[in-house]
């Protein structure tokens, strides 16, 4: 009876108005994106000024050049994603663009910066653009990781401001973790860890299966990080489905690692290096708890400095209890997996090799800041504009 009756008051959608709303929303978020990018670029610049492209080998050759050529020592040669992606971009770039960029890099003396003692490339000027592609890709991964950490914090706390502050603080502090050594693939590792965590928290777990081979191709640590996400998946899907999906993802990661390892089985070096005795020697010397180094051009606590340890203790005390149960279990499982691996196979003092704990640090920081900000605003009622 009412099939042909028009709905009173309905107005046809205006495509121009919808488009303008989309553009306005994008422009409103642009300052925040610029803030994240500037902070990411500043932290990345601090890393690069200190470590460059992971330095030189014992013979004085460029480590990155050997990684691109596939002749580097194991396990460094296993970190294939950025070297091969950058080489592909360099080889498939249109000739006019390639020539323009190469000339611009040379005119900007960027090659001389790469040829410094910590990023020697003087013997391979033809790889200048490949190196720069790795530089840009690594920076973009860092920027993407910062945005993902913001999304993760917002999901856990429903507080965009506190989560943004937590992500930015972590990004700016990231060079502190890159002590004793630092590599360009540490930034893509952070990106894949953040992306996998965001998937575990908000998406269907089959995306982890697709992500696992690519992330493992960047660094084999992703194989172990996947396991730490089990408590988060269980909270959403139950133990049976979570175990099934995660087992397939871990298998895909393991196959990718086996394939990379088999390709470079003839390279010098070993699959891992053992450093347990070095760690025992390192931690028994109290001078290591009072070391400093330059960050952002000023003196700052280095690595396991007692100041950094106290800051982490205060963060855990304030933020851990405010985390969801699944995230607390994720941190505990990451500790159980990461700390033994760090003590057995990583060089002493390299905080970056405790990377499986990054997610927990940002989550605790977001929760702690959200609690502090909510208490701050509750205790300060708004002041009338007229001063009355």
């Amino acid at each position: 009876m009412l099939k042909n009756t028009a709905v009173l008051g309905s107005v046809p959608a205006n495509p121009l108005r919808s488009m303008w709303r989309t553009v306005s929303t994008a422009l409103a978020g642009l300052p925040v994106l610029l803030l994240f990018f500037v902070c990411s670029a500043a932290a990345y610049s601090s890393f690069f000024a200190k470590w460059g492209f992971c330095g030189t080998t014992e013979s004085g050759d460029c480590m990155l050049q050997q990684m691109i050529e596939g002749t580097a020592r194991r396990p460094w040669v296993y970190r294939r994603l950025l070297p091969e992606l950058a080489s592909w971009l360099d080889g498939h770039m249109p000739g006019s663009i390639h020539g323009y960029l190469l000339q611009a890099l040379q005119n900007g003396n960027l090659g001389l910066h790469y040829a410094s003692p910590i990023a020697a490339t003087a013997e391979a000027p033809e790889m200048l653009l490949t190196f720069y592609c790795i530089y840009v890709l690594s920076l973009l991964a860092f920027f993407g990781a910062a945005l993902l950490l913001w999304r993760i914090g917002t999901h856990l706390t429903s507080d965009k401001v506190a989560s943004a502050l937590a992500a930015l603080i972590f990004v700016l502090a990231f060079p502190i973790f890159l002590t004793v050594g630092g590599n360009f693939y540490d930034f893509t590792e952070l990106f894949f860890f953040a992306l996998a965590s965001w998937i575990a928290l908000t998406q269907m777990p089959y995306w982890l299966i697709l992500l696992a081979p690519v992330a493992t191709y960047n660094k084999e640590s992703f194989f172990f990080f996947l396991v730490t996400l089990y408590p988060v998946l269980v909270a959403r899907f139950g133990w049976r489905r979570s175990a099934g999906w995660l087992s397939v993802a871990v298998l895909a990661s393991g196959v990718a690692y086996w394939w990379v390892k088999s390709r470079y089985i003839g390279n010098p070096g070993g699959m891992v290096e053992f450093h347990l005795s070095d760690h025992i020697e390192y931690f028994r010397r109290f001078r290591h708890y009072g070391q400093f180094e330059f960050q952002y051009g000023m003196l700052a606590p280095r690595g396991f400095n007692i100041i950094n340890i106290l800051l982490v203790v205060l963060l855990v005390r304030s933020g851990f209890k405010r985390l969801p149960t699944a995230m607390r279990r994720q941190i505990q499982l990451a500790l159980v997996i990461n700390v033994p691996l760090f003590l057995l196979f990583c060089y002493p003092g390299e905080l970056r090799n405790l990377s499986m704990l990054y997610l927990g640090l940002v989550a605790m920081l977001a929760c702690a800041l959200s609690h502090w900000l909510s208490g701050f605003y509750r205790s300060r009622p708004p002041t009338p504009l007229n001063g009355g």
Side-chain angles (χ1 to χ4, degrees):
M1 178 176 179
L2 298 177
K3 286 184 179 180
N4 298 321
T5 304
V7 178
L8 295 179
S10 62
V11 180
N14 188 331
L16 292 178
R17 183 175 298 175
S18 300
M19 184 181 301
W20 173 245
R21 285 195 189 124
T22 303
V23 172
S24 299
T25 303
L27 290 176
L30 187 59
V32 178
L33 291 178
L34 289 175
L35 175 62
F36 270 80
F37 184 78
V38 169
C39 290
S40 301
Y44 189 79
S45 177
S46 177
F47 146 78
F48 196 81
K50 187 165 61 172
W51 296 115
F53 283 127
C54 70
T56 58
T57 64
E58 294 178 358
S59 60
D61 297 325
C62 175
M63 174 74 79
L64 181 57
Q65 180 182 346
Q66 291 187 350
M67 293 179 72
I68 294 172
E69 296 170 345
T71 60
R73 289 176 59 85
R74 296 178 293 167
W76 289 275
V77 72
Y78 296 149
R79 288 76 191 257
R80 304 301 308 155
L81 183 63
L82 287 194
E84 292 190 9
L85 181 56
S87 296
W88 186 89
L89 290 172
D90 189 4
H92 290 77
M93 196 176 296
S96 58
I97 298 177
H98 187 281
Y100 173 79
L101 290 177
L102 194 59
Q103 187 64 41
L105 293 176
Q106 291 172 342
N107 291 340
N109 293 324
L110 196 57
L112 294 178
H113 180 56
Y114 287 161
S116 65
I118 59 173
T121 65
E123 298 83 1
E126 71 279 1
M127 290 188 174
L128 178 60
L129 190 54
T130 305
F131 281 26
Y132 189 67
C133 286
I134 292 178
Y135 180 94
V136 173
L137 290 171
S138 184
L139 172 59
L140 291 178
F142 193 33
F143 174 55
L147 295 177
L148 283 168
L149 291 173
W150 179 25
R151 294 289 302 273
I152 290 170
T154 302
H155 179 80
L156 294 174
T157 65
S158 300
D159 190 332
K160 289 185 177 181
V161 175
S163 300
L165 287 174
L168 291 175
I169 290 171
F170 178 81
V171 163
L172 292 172
F174 194 70
I176 296 176
F177 295 101
L178 304 178
T179 185
V180 181
N183 297 281
F184 60 89
Y185 50 75
D186 292 324
F187 297 90
T188 38
E189 178 191 45
L190 175 64
F191 171 77
F192 286 122
F193 282 5
L195 180 56
S197 303
W198 180 71
I199 290 173
L201 284 165
T202 64
Q203 305 298 312
M204 291 301 295
Y206 56 74
W207 289 109
L208 292 175
I209 300 173
L210 301 177
L211 180 66
V214 180
T216 307
Y217 205 56
N218 175 72
K219 193 177 180 184
E220 61 276 12
S221 58
F222 191 79
F223 174 87
F224 299 97
F225 181 75
L226 275 173
V227 180
T228 72
L229 299 176
Y230 179 69
V232 178
L233 292 172
V234 168
R236 297 183 61 211
F237 303 103
W239 71 268
R240 194 184 301 273
R241 289 182 63 191
S242 300
W245 285 113
L246 199 59
S247 296
V248 178
V250 170
L251 177 62
S253 176
V255 169
Y257 179 55
W258 171 83
W259 180 71
V260 173
K261 180 185 173 184
S262 63
R263 285 177 62 191
Y264 300 100
I265 196 170
N267 283 49
M271 186 175 66
V272 295
E273 295 183 359
F274 290 94
H275 289 288
L276 181 58
S277 59
D278 298 325
H279 275 284
I280 295 174
E281 180 68 17
Y282 179 89
F283 286 113
R284 77 179 186 86
R285 295 187 178 274
F286 291 102
R287 63 182 177 86
H288 290 134
Y289 301 101
Q291 291 184 324
F292 289 80
E293 65 181 355
F294 279 94
Q295 300 286 357
Y296 298 104
M298 61 182 182
L299 208 58
R302 178 188 184 187
F304 286 96
N305 186 294
I306 189 64
I307 297 175
N308 292 335
I309 295 174
L310 288 175
L311 288 174
V312 172
V313 170
L314 291 174
L315 175 59
V316 172
R317 182 181 177 185
S318 177
F320 185 78
K321 61 186 177 183
R322 295 185 171 88
L323 287 171
T325 301
M327 280 304 305
R328 293 202 298 267
R329 291 174 178 168
Q330 190 277 335
I331 294 173
Q332 292 166 345
L333 185 55
L335 277 169
V336 170
I337 295 174
N338 201 172
V339 171
L341 291 174
F342 173 73
L343 295 175
L344 287 172
F345 305 121
C346 302
Y347 195 78
E350 284 191 301
L351 286 177
R352 67 189 183 89
N353 286 314
L354 292 169
S355 54
M356 297 181 205
L357 303 175
Y358 289 162
L359 172 64
L361 286 176
V362 178
M364 286 188 291
L365 186 57
C367 289
L369 286 174
S370 179
H371 175 75
W372 180 81
L373 287 175
S374 61
F376 174 80
Y377 287 120
R378 280 197 304 267
S379 64
R380 293 176 64 89
T383 303
L385 293 178
N386 59 11

